[in-house]
Amino acid sequence: MAAFFRKLFGDKQNAPATSEMPESIEQGMQWQAEDFVRAFSQPDAPIDGSCLDYSSASLDEVDRLLDNVHCHGQELPDDLHFLISAYVFEVARREFGGRYLRGDEKDPFVLVMGKEDASVGLCVMSKVRGRAINGNEDNIPFFYAGIAPAIDRGVPATLI
């Protein structure tokens, strides 16, 4: 797996420059999520990229990837952290809608879903980092399963 990460993120000096900027945070997250799917659809990827269909079930593959990082004691590269986070965000946004807002240092972006008087903020980035560091206690599918009940309660909440 380390070789795959090096192949993906190792040679930033020779990475192609792009002048195209996203028009919104939503578009930027969508592009990053698509990059994640493309990167892990390669034949030598450590997870089955064909399962990355933006369904809640696809988060099992994401969790498997993060478990692999955790079990091997590897550090989660910042680039991969952002790609994974964008994918999880986009799974939630496709199912529940919402808009992105700027967050804090731990969670630079927050997806806000639900009604304005009862919005639910989703802090994915700290959860993804936590899964790689802490293991199963920060399980991504379990975290995701808490979104619908939080929205259904109809009270403001933040899922961290």
Side-chain angles (χ1 to χ4, degrees), residues 38-124:
R38 250 189 314 279
F40 286 88
S41 295
Q42 299 175 23
D44 59 344
I47 62 173
D48 183 359
S50 69
C51 295
L52 298 175
D53 60 1
Y54 296 93
S55 67
S56 59
S58 72
L59 296 176
D60 289 335
E61 288 297 315
V62 172
D63 197 67
R64 190 175 353 273
L65 174 64
L66 292 168
D67 186 56
N68 204 335
V69 170
H70 172 73
C71 288
H72 286 93
Q74 295 174 319
E75 189 170 320
L76 184 63
D78 288 340
D79 293 348
L80 181 57
H81 174 230
F82 196 83
L83 292 176
I84 292 171
S85 297
Y87 181 80
V88 176
F89 272 137
E90 283 298 293
V91 170
R93 192 167 74 97
R94 286 176 182 215
E95 183 170 351
F96 301 105
R99 69 190 187 290
Y100 293 105
L101 298 177
R102 296 282 183 185
D104 59 17
E105 188 175 320
K106 240 177 134 174
D107 282 291
F109 299 97
V110 177
L111 178 61
V112 179
M113 305 164 290
K115 297 182 184 230
E116 285 207 23
D117 59 340
S119 62
V120 174
L122 187 66
C123 298
V124 168

Side-chain angles (χ1 to χ4, degrees), residues 109-157:
F109 299 97
V110 177
L111 178 61
V112 179
M113 305 164 290
K115 297 182 184 230
E116 285 207 23
D117 59 340
S119 62
V120 174
L122 187 66
C123 298
V124 168
M125 296 184 84
S126 59
K127 186 58 72 173
V128 166
R129 176 85 63 205
R131 179 62 174 100
I133 294 169
N134 302 325
N136 202 41
E137 72 183 59
D138 285 316
N139 182 281
I140 300 300
F142 180 81
F143 172 68
Y144 189 85
I147 298 171
I151 291 173
D152 290 346
R153 279 194 294 276
V155 296

